[in-house]
């Protein structure tokens, strides 16, 4: 008897010593990573980075796990009560480990009833530091002991309320949604402090099985689970019988809103911003020396995008391209399929990029078999279509066609890029990189370079004036030959030539012969150098044809270069981020506009006046005649060979915007100048946008704003009354027997003519019988 007692005591003592030694070894990290005190005090759950618009609204997120944190004070008491009643009803009575619950486990196992023993604190420890449950019983036991140690430590360093908030910020709620903040906004479109009893019970009920009890996927199971949670809230004393009965009688009313990369504000911009932020993260380090991670570090990126202006831009694009696409598709060249002759390799490449092709290839089918299937098998497919709906999916159409026909159809869609910027601050206000990000991922603002056509001409004219030309310089409108460049020669868009014209008239009518004359005078290399100084980084070969816009340049670069005209000779770098914060709201970096002077203020104003004539009576005159915009505005159209690309870049005193329209493949184009010129493709987007902007008074865009007159020019004007700048410009003597009336800049027959400091720079007023001629697009 004494011997057996001694043995028993030895077993107990050595068992306890062994257990405590095991606990120490686990705590020292012998059996795997054990968080330090710093790690415990600064728990690091993966947080999504958020992108905010200028008005503070959420535009979208970058994440591996869609998670954002909130404080305890921002969580409804209903959520807290539901959690405690369901997961740990003695939460406030224990110190991380519930002895009563742990001891009761064997009893429950004996009677065949499963019961979880992990407290909320233990579950939090596992969520933060362990990852997945091991299947090996020995490893699982080590994990459980590690949970106990971490739970005790968490209780030491955090209050009960902090533990509850940490727990609710880390748990998954299905649909790749993590944390109570995101769950409330995703499933009920509410902040977590506004969740009522049924909503709180629904979300907490999902923790037992976030897919099984997902109210969107399994509404019946979710309802039953929600009612079980409500019953437990009643049993725990958080609800009365009446409150529980009322809560259980209500249906689950979801307001499901899940943002992904295809949704939210300005998806093309956010995708471009993703690449920018990846580069930023790679070069900026956290306190521990590691670079920031865009997908896990919970950055807050504040941008300059104005949601209402972005919507105006998207609506302008949709309204115009919905009208233009049928005209493009009805062309015999497109409709008959002749456009694809000689370009079958494009279709084959597109076919091989489809999931259908890859699946068939994995099944062992040959290329010939797959190609036959793609050309002959008609299937129900979903394709992009302006203004159509497939269920709730906008701009989508379900139809019957072969897979190859669907590829042709999608490649024949006209694409666009449209960007809006404040020319003084550089703030990007709207960014429409394509038709629909769900179907077309390629951004046509920054990532696409196309021939720019006549939008290059304002740069050429500016550089020529720097060399002594003036807006009133008279030049020949004849073809210009370049023997040193394979005898390349110019011709105007409509084939007409002859006579003498001023530079102002030549720019307004976009005469190619005059551009060729100017490039011959100043030299191609001079224009290349000037374009690069103006912010164009793309390669520009020094050939005479660059005067007509043959270089391939992005819309982003062109808008940056154009900023020198409304911004008084200063080129400004487009600014789209105002600041970046870490997960705790600390500012990591703020951004200020970067400017450099490229031309003088007086030269910039001279070009503004010349480009106003493009709108008043030149190739952009339909802004006045068709769209009835009579505000002060200037710009330039652009069209490339065979109407492949259509451009319009224009500005008012407060906004600079540019539009490009074309297909991603150059051989798909309009066959007539009337339909394919920039005045008919890019310009209408610009005009429709400004119609909307002027109607929305909340944007603060003044329809009566004027281009500021430089002091050097203002001092040379002779005015009857100099009481104010506006009054001094009511009537200005142009010195050529005519006068320009500035009292009403809004009528197409009263064309404002700007006077300049240098007498030779005074632009002659157009003949009074000159009417808007919206038929030239070069």
């Amino acid at each position: 008897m004494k011997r057996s007692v001694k043995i028993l005591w030895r077993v107990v003592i050595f068992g306890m010593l062994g257990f405590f030694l095991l606990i120490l070894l686990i705590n020292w990290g012998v059996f795997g990573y054990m968080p330090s005190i710093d790690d415990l005090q600064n728990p690091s759950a993966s947080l999504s980075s958020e992108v905010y618009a200028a008005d503070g609204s959420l535009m979208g997120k970058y994440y591996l796990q869609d998670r954002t944190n909130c404080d305890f004070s921002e969580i409804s008491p209903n959520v807290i009560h539901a959690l405690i009643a369901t997961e740990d009803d003695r939460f406030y009575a224990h110190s991380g480990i519930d002895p009563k619950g742990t001891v009761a486990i064997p009893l429950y196992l004996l009677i065949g009833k499963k019961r979880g023993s992990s407290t909320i604190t233990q579950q939090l420890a596992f969520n933060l530091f362990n990852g997945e449950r091991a299947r090996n019983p020995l490893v699982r036991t080590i994990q459980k002991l590690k949970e106990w140690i971490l739970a005790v430590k968490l209780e030491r360093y955090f209050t009960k309320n902090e533990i509850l908030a940490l727990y609710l910020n880390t748990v998954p709620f299905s649909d790749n949604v993590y944390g109570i903040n995101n769950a409330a906004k995703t499933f009920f479109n509410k902040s977590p402090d506004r969740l009522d009893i049924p909503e709180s019970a629904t979300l907490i009920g999902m923790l037992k099985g976030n897919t099984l009890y997902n109210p969107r996927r399994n509404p019946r199971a979710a309802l039953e689970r929600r009612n079980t949670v409500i019953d437990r809230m009643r049993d725990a004393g958080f609800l009365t019988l009446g409150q529980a009965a009322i809560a259980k009688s209500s249906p689950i009313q979801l307001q499901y809103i899940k943002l992904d990369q295809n949704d939210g504000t300005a998806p093309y911009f956010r995708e471009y911003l993703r690449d920018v932020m990846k580069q930023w993260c790679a070069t900026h380090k956290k306190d521990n020396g590691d670079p920031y991670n865009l997908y896990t570090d919970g950055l807050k990126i504040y941008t300059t995008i104005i949601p209402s202006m972005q919507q105006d831009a998207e609506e302008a694009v949709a309204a115009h391209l919905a009208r233009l696409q049928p005209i493009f598709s009805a062309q015999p060249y497109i409709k008959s399929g002749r456009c694809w002759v000689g370009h079958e390799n494009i279709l084959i490449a597109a076919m091989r990029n489809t999931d259908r092709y890859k699946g068939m290839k994995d099944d062992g089918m040959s290329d010939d078999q797959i190609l036959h299937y793609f050309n002959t098998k008609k299937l129900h497919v979903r394709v992009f279509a302006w203004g159509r709906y497939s269920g709730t999916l906008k701009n989508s159409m379900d139809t019957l066609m072969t897979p190859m026909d669907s590829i042709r159809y999608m490649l024949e869609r006209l694409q666009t890029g449209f960007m809006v910027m404040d020319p003084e601050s550089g703030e990007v206000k709207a960014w429409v990189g394509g038709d629909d990000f769900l179907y077309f991922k390629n951004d046509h603002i920054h990532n696409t370079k196309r021939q720019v056509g006549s939008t290059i001409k304002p740069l050429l004219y500016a550089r020529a004036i720097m060399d002594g030309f003036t807006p009133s310089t008279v030049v020949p409108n004849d073809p210009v030959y370049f023997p040193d460049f394979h005898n390349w020669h110019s011709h105007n868009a409509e084939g007409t030539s002859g006579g003498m014209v001023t530079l102002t008239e030549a720019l307004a009518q976009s005469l190619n012969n005059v551009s060729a004359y100017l490039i011959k005078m100043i030299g191609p290399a001079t224009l290349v150098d000037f374009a690069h100084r103006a912010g164009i980084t793309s390669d520009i070969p020094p050939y005479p044809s660059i005067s007509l816009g043959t270089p391939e340049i992005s819309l982003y670069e062109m808008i940056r270069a154009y900023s020198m005209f409304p911004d008084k000779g200063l080129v400004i770098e487009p600014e789209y981020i105002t600041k970046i914060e870490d997960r705790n709201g600390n500012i990591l970096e703020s951004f200020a506009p970067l400017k450099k002077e490229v031309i003088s203020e007086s030269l910039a104003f001279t070009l503004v006046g010349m480009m106003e004539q493009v709108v008043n009576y030149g190739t952009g005159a339909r802004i006045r005649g068709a769209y009835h915009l009579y505000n002060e505005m200037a710009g330039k159209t652009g069209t490339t060979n065979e109407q492949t690309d259509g451009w319009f870049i224009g500005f008012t005193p407060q906004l600079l915007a540019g539009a490009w329209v074309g297909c991603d493949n150059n051989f798909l184009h309009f066959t007539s100048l009337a339909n394919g010129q920039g005045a008919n493709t890019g310009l209408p987007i610009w005009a429709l946008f400004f119609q909307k902007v002027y109607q929305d008074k909340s944007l603060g865009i003044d329809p009566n704003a004027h281009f500021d007159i430089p002091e050097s020019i203002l001092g040379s004007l002779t005015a009857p009354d100099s009481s104010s700048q506006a009054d001094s410009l009511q009537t200005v003597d142009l010195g050529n027997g005519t006068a320009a009336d500035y009292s009403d800049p809004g009528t197409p027959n009263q064309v404002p003519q700007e006077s300049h400091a240098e007498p030779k720079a005074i632009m002659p007023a157009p003949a009074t019988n000159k009417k808007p001629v919206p038929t030239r697009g070069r």
Side-chain angles (χ1 to χ4, degrees), residues 236-366:
F238 293 122
L239 299 177
T240 65
L241 289 173
Q243 288 174 321
I246 293 173
K248 290 171 66 175
S249 67
S250 65
I252 296 178
Q253 297 178 328
L254 296 180
Q255 293 188 47
Y256 189 85
I257 300 176
K258 180 73 166 72
L259 290 180
D260 62 21
Q261 63 174 357
N262 299 314
D263 300 319
T265 304
Y268 285 98
F269 168 75
R270 295 199 323 269
E271 194 61 22
Y272 167 69
L273 185 63
R274 182 197 302 269
D275 293 334
V276 172
M277 286 303 303
K278 282 182 179 178
Q279 296 175 23
W280 185 92
C281 289
T283 57
H284 291 75
K285 299 185 183 300
K286 296 179 284 188
D287 291 339
N288 63 5
D290 294 335
Y292 281 96
N293 188 313
L294 179 63
Y295 300 103
T296 61
D297 283 333
L299 299 175
K300 291 180 172 59
I301 305 134
Y302 294 88
T303 75
T304 60
I305 297 294
I306 298 179
S308 58
M309 203 173 284
Q310 176 70 26
Q311 183 176 346
D312 289 340
E314 292 175 358
E315 289 177 355
V317 165
H320 177 56
L321 290 190
R323 180 196 66 81
L324 194 63
Q325 183 66 55
I327 298 172
F328 180 83
S329 300
Q331 298 176 113
Y333 168 71
I334 300 293
K335 190 174 182 179
S336 65
R338 284 187 288 125
C339 57
W340 292 103
V341 176
H343 302 289
E344 293 82 2
N345 61 313
I346 301 294
L347 296 174
I348 297 299
M351 176 190 76
R352 288 175 175 167
N353 200 39
T354 63
D355 292 335
R356 179 176 280 113
Y357 171 87
K358 294 172 184 176
M360 296 173 76
K361 200 69 177 174
D362 289 342
D363 292 339
M365 297 180 67
S366 68

Side-chain angles (χ1 to χ4, degrees), residues 747-763:
T747 59
N749 292 325
Q750 285 181 309
V751 182
Q753 299 298 315
E754 307 289 5
S755 178
H756 299 273
E758 301 170 344
K760 291 183 179 180
I762 296 174
M763 293 177 292

Side-chain angles (χ1 to χ4, degrees), residues 718-735:
T718 303
D721 181 4
S722 59
S723 59
S724 69
Q725 174 178 317
D727 291 340
S728 70
L729 295 175
Q730 294 300 307
T731 304
V732 177
D733 184 0
L734 296 176

